[in-house]
Amino acid sequence: MQFHLNGFRAGDPELLPPAAGREAGEGPKTLPEQADVLIVGCGPTGLALACQLSGFPDIETCIVERKDGPLELGQADGIACRSMEMFNAFGFAERVLKEAYWVNELTFWKPKDDNTREIVRSSSVRDTEEGLSEFPHVILNQARVHEFFLDTMRKSPTRLTPHYSWQIASVDIDQEAAKDEEAYPVTVTLERPDGHGEPETRQVRARYVVGCDGARSKVRQEIGLSLKGDSINQAWGVMDVLALTDFPDMRKKSVINSSEGSIVLIPREGGYLVRIYVEMGKLKENERISARKIVLEDIIGAAQRIFSPYALNVKEVAWWSIYEIGQRLCPHFDNIGDGQTGLPRVFIAGDACHTHSPKAGQGMNVSMQDAFNLGWKLAAVLRGQCAPELLHSYSTERQSIAHELISFDRKWATLLSMPVKSENDPDGEGVEASEIEKYFVQHGHYTAGTATVYSPSAITGEPEHQPLAKGFRIGARFHSAPVIRLADARPVQLGHTVEADGRWRLFVFAGMNDSGEPGSPVAALCDFLTSSPTSPIVRYTPKDADVDSVIDVRAIFQRHFRELDPMDMPGLLLPQKGKYGLRDYQKVFVTDQSGGRDIYEMRGIDREKGCVAIIRPDQHVAHILPVDAHDALSAFFDGFMINKSGQKATKKAMDLAK
Amino acid sequence: MQFHLNGFRAGDPELLPPAAGREAGEGPKTLPEQADVLIVGCGPTGLALACQLSGFPDIETCIVERKDGPLELGQADGIACRSMEMFNAFGFAERVLKEAYWVNELTFWKPKDDNTREIVRSSSVRDTEEGLSEFPHVILNQARVHEFFLDTMRKSPTRLTPHYSWQIASVDIDQEAAKDEEAYPVTVTLERPDGHGEPETRQVRARYVVGCDGARSKVRQEIGLSLKGDSINQAWGVMDVLALTDFPDMRKKSVINSSEGSIVLIPREGGYLVRIYVEMGKLKENERISARKIVLEDIIGAAQRIFSPYALNVKEVAWWSIYEIGQRLCPHFDNIGDGQTGLPRVFIAGDACHTHSPKAGQGMNVSMQDAFNLGWKLAAVLRGQCAPELLHSYSTERQSIAHELISFDRKWATLLSMPVKSENDPDGEGVEASEIEKYFVQHGHYTAGTATVYSPSAITGEPEHQPLAKGFRIGARFHSAPVIRLADARPVQLGHTVEADGRWRLFVFAGMNDSGEPGSPVAALCDFLTSSPTSPIVRYTPKDADVDSVIDVRAIFQRHFRELDPMDMPGLLLPQKGKYGLRDYQKVFVTDQSGGRDIYEMRGIDREKGCVAIIRPDQHVAHILPVDAHDALSAFFDGFMINKSGQKATKKAMDLAK
C-alpha cells in the first residue's frame, strides 16, 4: 500500500480522499437524474463492476438493486484462485483468506465392489495444482464477498453506495443521440417493487447501462435478447447444514458417486458448516422441477441414502434450495447484434449472459471476471483514454469464455448425473468412477479460473515474441511470482502491483548483463518512454498527471538487492510524484532466489535478452515484446488509445477482432 | 477462525455474539459504579489489557482515558516480531501486515576515512534473523494499532469502549476489604480534566485497578511508587517527514554515525514517510532539555549536517518532538512492597513502570507484553480458575524483563550518543562503528521481543525435560512452526491456534510410531485427560462447559495426512461441542515436510519419544513433559488452579517464586 504522497493523513489509509462533493461521506441518497454508468443489480457481478468504477472520481456511477438491502445469505460460495487474485487487486484478499475455508484436498467416493449400497473412497487428490496461483481456492458465503466490495466502495473517493428497492421498468436507447459520444442516450425507468407503498417511478439518463440483474435479467429483455440452451432434465437439491457424521472426509471437498445417486460435498467457512449438493433424480421430458414438490426432508433423506454406510445427522439447515440443471447462453452481451453497426450502450454481464449448474463453483467467478473485463474499458472510454470502439471487445472476449463455460459444465454435470458403472459389469451402463476424477483433474486450470485466454485483437498482441517469456502467455492473466523490492529489500509478489485502478503496466525484465546503467537496454527504453514524442507515456499521459498515472513502468533485474543502488536507476524508475515531487521507490525489483527458482526460471523468461510484458488493467497479458522494440511498443498503444489532443486511433486498429 | 458452532449466523464472524445486556451494541456510555477491573489509560498497554479482558462476558471491565478521544498521531511505531505474534492472537495481525512498513534490512553508516565530514555505508545486514518468527518486524503508527485494538474490543462479546475525558483524582484501597476476594476494595475518584466545563467527579469501586497511564502515572503516584533511574544528559530530536533526498538507503532502516552526530532513520508505512531520530548534543549536568529551546529548524539543520554529502529536502513534517535520554524503572509493579503481605489490588504497566529511549523500538512492545502477562492472570482469578496469589507473578515476571530492557537500552543509547572513532586514530576517543553493528546484531533476538524468558515458578516448570523439545524453551514464548491440519489438509502455523482467550494449551507431539491408535501413548494420555479424577481437564473444567474451554488439547503426528483418518482419533482430539454437539475437526495436525524441515526438526523435538508442551495463555511455554508423565501433568496444574468445588491450590505451590 502506498499513501501519504500528497501529505500525511491520520486514520485508515484505505479510506481514500473524497472526490469533490463527497467530503461529507456517502454518495447521494436519492437517485441521480443522470449517470455515466448505471449498473442494475447488486450481485457479485454488479458489485465487482461498481467497485472498479468507484475508484474514479471523474466517473458518476449509479448502482440500483431491487431488493431492500444487502444480501444476508448467499447461494454462491466457491472462490477460484483467479477471483482471489482479482480480490487482491481490489485490496481485500486478506479478509477473504482469513474467513474462508481453503480447499486443499479433493476426494472421490464410489460404490463398494462387494456391496454397491455402500460407498468407499476411490482416491484423494490435491485440489489445486502446486504453483497455479499464489492464492488458494477458497469457499466463502457470497454475502461476505458482497460486504467486502461494498466496504471498498464506501471507502473509495466516490463513496459509492447502492440505491436499494428500485427495479427496472424499461430501458430505452435514443439511437440518434447514441452517435454522440458525449450524450446520455439511454433512459432507464425505475419503479418501486411491489409492497413499497404508493407506486413511484423515476428516470435516470445514462451514457452506459450494464445489466447485472441475473438469469431473469430485465435489462437483457429490454434490449431484445434471451438465453438459449437446454436442460439435462436432472433435479438437484442443495443445503447448507450443521451436521454430525462419521464420514471421514467431512472437512474435505468430496465427490460421491453411489448407487443411490451423487453428492458433491463442500466444507464451508468456520469449521462446522458444510454445503451438500444432492442428486434428486431425473425429470421427465418437459417436467418442471416444481411439479416434484421436493421438500427439505427429501433432500436430507436422499443424502442419507447416498452417504451409507455413514450416518448423517442434520442438526440445523442454514439454507436450502432445489434446482434443475441447464446450460443457457445469450448470443450477445451488448445491444449491438450480428451485422448491426453502432457503438454499444447497454451491456449484460454475469448470470444475465450465462447460466449453468453450480457444482463446479464457476458461476460467481466467471461473472465477476465479466465485470472485471468491462469495468476498465468503460472507465478508459469515459475518461477519454480510449475510443469507444474498445467497448466491442467486451462481448467478443467474454462470449468465447462463456462458450467454454457452458461446454465444460454440460460435460461435468452430465458425468455427475450418470450412474456409476459397476466394476463387476464393465459393459454395463454408466460412467466409470475414474473418468469423473480424470475429467476434474484435467480441468483444474479451468476451474481455478486461470485458463482464460483472450484472442489477439487491438488490446491483445500476436504471439510473435512469446518465446521471450513462455510463462506469461499472451491473453492469459499475468501469473505472479515472488521478487524482492530493491529500495527496501522486501519480498513481494510482482503481480500484486497490478491493482484494479485502470492503469496499464509495463514490466521490464532486464537481460543478464543489464543493471539499468546509462546506455543499457533498460535505460534506453526508459529514455525512449520518458522523452520520445512517439512514446505512449508522452502521448497518452495527461499534462498535469503523475508520469505513471496511465502506464506504470516497473523493472526487474537479475541482481542481488545489495548490488544495486536505487539512486543509479533511470529517472522513470524512481519517478517524482504528487504535490511535493516525492520519489516513488517501489518501481524496481530484483530476483528472489530464496525458493530455489527465481521469476525468470518460474515464468520461462529469456535470461539473456529479458523482455517487456505489457499488462492490461484487468491483469491479462496484453503483449510480450523485446526490450528494444520501442516502435512496436508505441504501435501497440497507438492501436487503441487516444492522444492528449483528442485524436482517435485509426478505425482499422480499433476493429478489435469484431 | 471457527464460527457457526451454535448455529449459523449471517454477517461478520468477527462480530461475536453479545453478552447479556450488550445486545444493543456498545457498552455503557456512562461510568459504571463498580467494575471488576478499572484500566487507566488508552495507550497500547491499556488497550492490550482491555482487549484481552473484553473477550470474557463474565468480567466487567472499564477503561478510562484523560484525552477526549482516540489518539490520531502516535509517537511509537516499531512493532517487534513478538508483538505481531500477539496481534495475531488478538486476531488483527493481517491488518498490520497490510499497512505497515516491513523492516527487512538494516544499514550502518560512518564517517569517510578521507573526509570525515561525509558519511559512507559501512555495512548492510538483515534486520531479523531468518526463522526467528513467522512474522516480520514492522513499523506502523501507534494510532493505527490503537484502532485495531478498539475495533476488536467493539466486536467482542462485551462491546467494550473507553470512557474518554476522565482523569484520576485519587486511588484508595480499603485494606480490610482487600482481604475479601469478592470485595471491591479499590475506590477510584475520577474528575473531568481542565477545560471540560463545570467540575465533575465520579467514583468507581473496583476489584482491581491497573495504571497504564504513562511515565507520569497518577496511579503509580497514588500507590506511593516512583521511577528510579538517571539520564545520560543527551538531547535528541525526532521527526516524521516527507522529504526528497539522494541518500540511497532512504527506504531501509539506517544507523548513521557521522562526525556531526548520529541519526537513526526509520522508514514508515505508505512508501514515502520516514522517521528521523537526530542527536542534538550533550546536556550539561542538571540541564533540562527545555532550556535548550530546540525548534524544528534545529532538528532539520542537524539532520542535514549529519546526512552530508547527501541532501535532505524536507517537504512536510507530520510530527516532531525533542527528548532527553534516560532509563528509569519502578521497583514494584503492584501495590505490595518488599516485605509486605497481602494480595495485590492495584497494578501499573507499561511506561508507568519503565521509561527509556525510543530508538531501539522497545517501548510499545515491552509495554504491551506487560499487559499480555497480566491480562490472563486477572481473568483467571476473576473467573475463579486460579487463586489470587497468581497475581504476585505479574510484578515478579515483568520486573526482570524491565531490568533487562533498561540495561540493554542504556548501552544502546550510550553507543549511539558517542563519537565514532576515526580509523586513522585508533587510540582516539569514541566507539568503533563496528562495535555498534555488533551490539545491534547480537541483540537481534532481544529487540525482536523473542528473548523474554520467565523463570521457574508455579506457572513455569523446571527444565528437567527440556531435552525432549530443545526449541521450545521453557519460559520463552512458544515458537510457532508450520504443520498440516489433518481433517482438511490445510497448511497452518501451529502457534496460531493459541488465541488470546485465556485458555491453556497442551500440544501433544506424538512419538515416531504413535498414530493415536488405542493403547498408544497419545491415546493413553487422552484417556487419562478425559476420565481420570486427577486429570486437570476433569478437575478444572466447569460442568457445562466445552471440554476444551479451560485446557485445549491438540496433537501432532509424524505422518502424511492421507495416512490418518480423523475418525480413528481419540475422542478428546475430535471433541463434540456446543449446543448441537458438533465435532471440532481442528485439534489434530501432521508434520509439514514441504519446507524440507518439519516441526520436529525445526524445534528439536525428540522424534522417538515425542513430548507434551504446556503453553500459557500468554503464549509462553509453561512446561515440557514426556507424553506418559500423567501425574506430573496433573501436579503442574494443581499448583495454581482451583478445582470446581472451589478448593484452592496449596499455599506452598502458590508462592510463585515471590
Side-chain angles (χ1 to χ4, degrees), chain A residues 449-517:
Chain A
T450 59
T452 297
V453 182
Y454 296 135
S455 300
S457 71
I459 51 173
T460 306
E462 297 283 348
E464 187 186 343
H465 299 288
Q466 184 75 72
L468 292 177
K470 295 190 195 77
F472 295 136
R473 182 166 171 195
I474 296 171
R477 88 9 170 146
F478 181 70
H479 190 177
S480 184
V483 289
I484 306 277
R485 200 158 59 197
L486 176 64
D488 59 1
R490 175 167 167 176
V492 292
Q493 282 283 343
L494 186 60
H496 295 190
T497 60
V498 190
E499 297 175 9
D501 55 12
R503 292 193 288 165
W504 288 76
R505 264 87 190 175
L506 292 190
F507 290 118
V508 185
F509 291 90
M512 182 85 75
N513 298 311
D514 189 339
S515 296
E517 70 281 4

Side-chain angles (χ1 to χ4, degrees), chain B residues 522 526 553-555 557 569-575 584-585 587-588:
Chain B
V522 170
C526 289
V553 183
R554 303 186 186 232
F557 294 97
M569 289 291 137
L572 186 63
L573 297 177
L574 196 65
D584 183 339
Y585 286 94
K587 303 296 190 189
V588 184

Side-chain angles (χ1 to χ4, degrees), chain B residues 32-112:
Chain B
E33 290 185 9
Q34 63 179 41
D36 291 320
V37 184
L38 176 69
I39 301 167
V40 184
C42 271
T45 319
L47 290 174
L49 181 59
C51 193
Q52 166 87 83
L53 294 175
S54 72
F56 301 102
D58 43 355
I59 295 179
E60 281 290 337
T61 307
C62 174
I63 175 167
V64 297
E65 165 61 45
R66 210 171 58 82
K67 297 205 189 76
D68 294 337
L71 189 75
E72 291 211 343
L73 213 59
Q75 292 85 27
D77 59 357
I79 300 173
C81 302
R82 175 64 194 133
S83 296
M84 288 300 300
E85 295 172 5
M86 186 190 73
F87 291 165
N88 191 64
F90 279 112
F92 60 77
E94 83 289 353
R95 297 178 70 178
V96 179
L97 286 177
K98 186 179 184 181
E99 284 185 25
Y101 170 83
W102 294 27
V103 189
N104 302 288
E105 185 82 348
L106 171 60
T107 71
F108 294 94
W109 291 72
K110 61 176 186 182
K112 259 191 193 160

Side-chain angles (χ1 to χ4, degrees), chain A residues 14 91 98 105 316 562 580, chain B residues 14 91 98 105 316 580:
Chain A
E14 293 187 335
K98 184 177 185 182
E105 184 83 347
E316 182 179 306
R562 289 196 189 127
Y580 295 129
Chain B
E14 293 186 336
K98 186 179 184 181
E105 185 82 348
E316 182 180 307
Y580 296 128

Side-chain angles (χ1 to χ4, degrees), chain B residues 80-380:
Chain B
C81 302
R82 175 64 194 133
S83 296
M84 288 300 300
E85 295 172 5
M86 186 190 73
F87 291 165
N88 191 64
F90 279 112
F92 60 77
E94 83 289 353
R95 297 178 70 178
V96 179
L97 286 177
K98 186 179 184 181
E99 284 185 25
Y101 170 83
W102 294 27
V103 189
N104 302 288
E105 185 82 348
L106 171 60
T107 71
F108 294 94
W109 291 72
K110 61 176 186 182
K112 259 191 193 160
D113 287 348
D114 53 354
N115 178 359
T116 58
R117 304 201 61 127
E118 296 195 351
I119 55 170
V120 64
R121 192 191 291 117
S122 61
S123 67
S124 288
V125 296
R126 194 178 158 131
D127 179 79
T128 311
E129 182 188 320
E130 170 100 46
L132 191 62
S133 169
E134 73 277 20
F135 288 105
H137 171 200
V138 305
I139 307 289
L140 184 66
N141 191 323
Q142 172 184 356
R144 293 299 294 155
V145 173
H146 289 197
E147 183 52 34
F148 301 144
F149 276 126
L150 288 166
D151 199 37
T152 308
M153 288 158 57
R154 272 191 291 267
K155 291 179 172 183
S156 75
T158 57
R159 306 289 191 264
L160 184 60
T161 53
H163 297 273
Y164 293 106
S165 310
W166 286 107
Q167 69 185 17
I168 302 302
S170 65
V171 178
D172 299 292
I173 309 172
D174 178 339
Q175 296 297 352
E176 206 45 45
K179 294 175 187 160
D180 174 8
E181 260 181 52
E182 301 301 316
Y184 292 77
V186 193
T187 301
V188 178
T189 305
L190 298 119
E191 60 188 9
R192 291 294 189 184
D194 289 345
H196 285 76
E198 291 296 300
E200 187 186 355
T201 64
R202 216 58 79 73
Q203 287 195 327
V204 178
R205 291 179 309 118
R207 294 176 71 180
Y208 298 99
V209 171
V210 188
C212 306
D213 47 348
R216 293 176 188 158
S217 172
K218 176 75 172 171
V219 174
R220 184 186 66 217
Q221 186 186 320
E222 287 288 302
I223 56 172
L225 296 173
S226 58
L227 295 177
K228 315 277 185 206
D230 51 21
S231 155
I232 56 171
N233 300 319
Q234 185 66 46
W236 282 73
V238 53
M239 54 184 179
D240 280 341
V241 302
L242 294 167
L244 201 57
T245 179
D246 52 354
F247 180 67
D249 291 343
M250 197 64 172
R251 299 305 305 166
K252 292 177 186 155
K253 182 173 170 182
S254 301
V255 175
I256 304 172
N257 290 280
S258 84
S259 58
E260 295 283 329
S262 296
I263 274 182
V264 178
L265 171 79
I266 302 184
R268 297 284 303 257
E269 62 272 21
Y272 302 101
L273 197 68
V274 290
R275 167 161 296 185
I276 309 180
Y277 291 98
V278 188
E279 190 186 349
M280 299 302 295
K282 270 241 170 310
L283 296 171
K284 294 193 201 88
E285 186 96 15
N286 295 321
E287 183 190 18
R288 293 312 307 254
I289 193 167
S290 53
R292 285 280 177 106
K293 302 205 191 310
I294 295 170
V295 295
L296 174 60
E297 286 64 33
D298 299 329
I299 305 175
I300 294 175
Q304 286 169 332
R305 285 190 298 276
I306 296 169
F307 263 114
S308 172
Y310 301 105
L312 180 73
N313 182 357
V314 175
K315 299 290 191 178
E316 182 180 307
V317 178
W319 172 80
W320 70 279
S321 185
I322 51 166
Y323 63 94
E324 56 195 301
I325 291 180
Q327 287 82 21
R328 295 184 174 83
L329 180 62
C330 189
H332 304 285
F333 295 177
D334 62 32
N335 64 313
I336 306 299
D338 283 333
Q340 290 186 307
T341 56
L343 295 169
R345 289 294 190 166
V346 179
F347 305 86
I348 53 173
D351 285 355
C353 305
H354 38 71
T355 64
H356 49 89
S357 78
K359 283 179 308 296
Q362 292 305 295
M364 176 161 71
N365 295 290
V366 174
S367 296
M368 291 189 299
Q369 294 298 327
D370 286 347
F372 203 32
N373 182 293
L374 179 58
W376 71 267
K377 294 174 182 174
L378 280 172

